[in-house]
Amino acid sequence: MFSVTSTGSPKYMYAATRSRNTTIPGYVSAFSIDADTGAIISQLFLTETTNSGGSANSVTSAPFAEEYFAITDSASNHVEVWKITANGTTTGTGEAVAHLDLATGPSDVVWVD
C-alpha cells in the first residue's frame, strides 16, 4: 500500500506479513519512495507487530497524513494505527500509536471522515 498524498507522488510504501498462528509474530515494514521515479530508496524499518494478525494482512494508508497507516488483527480482534518517524530517507522507525479492541476480528480497515 502506498501513502496517500495531495501531490500525487507517495512518500512511503507499507507492507505487512502476518501469521495465522498466534504464537508466531507478524511484521510490518515501510519503505521510502523516490517521488520522481517511484523507485524504492530504502527500507525504513521492519518491526514486529503487537500480535500475529490471524488471517488479516491488511495495511491501509491514512488519508490525512502520509506517516500514518492502520493494520488489522483478526486473531486478537483489534485495529491499530501506526506512525512512521523517518530520520531522512534511509532510516526510520514505526510504532503503534493507537489501539482499538473489537468484539470480532476485522479483516480490513476503511478510513471514514
Side-chain angles (χ1 to χ4, degrees), residues 50-51 71-74 76-80 99-102 105-106:
T50 56
N51 208 320
I71 62 172
T72 58
D73 194 307
S74 62
S76 298
N77 302 330
H78 69 259
V79 173
E80 288 182 332
H99 179 101
L100 176 64
D101 288 319
L102 301 168

Side-chain angles (χ1 to χ4, degrees), residues 1-103:
M1 170 63 68
F2 290 97
S3 58
V4 176
T5 174
S6 60
T7 64
S9 298
K11 189 174 184 178
Y12 303 114
M13 181 177 70
Y14 319 113
T17 181
R18 313 302 294 282
S19 170
R20 289 185 184 266
N21 184 333
T22 57
T23 63
I24 300 171
Y27 292 87
V28 66
S29 185
F31 301 84
S32 60
I33 302 296
D34 183 282
D36 295 326
T37 65
I40 293 174
I41 297 171
S42 69
Q43 182 177 32
L44 297 172
F45 62 86
L46 175 63
T47 302
E48 195 173 294
T49 59
T50 56
N51 208 320
S52 66
S55 60
N57 195 28
S58 174
V59 180
T60 306
S61 60
F64 55 85
E66 288 189 276
E67 51 278 330
Y68 289 92
F69 61 93
I71 62 172
T72 58
D73 194 307
S74 62
S76 298
N77 302 330
H78 69 259
V79 173
E80 288 182 332
V81 175
W82 282 61
K83 182 180 180 187
I84 296 171
T85 302
N87 304 320
T89 59
T90 59
T91 62
T93 60
E95 67 178 335
V97 294
H99 179 101
L100 176 64
D101 288 319
L102 301 168

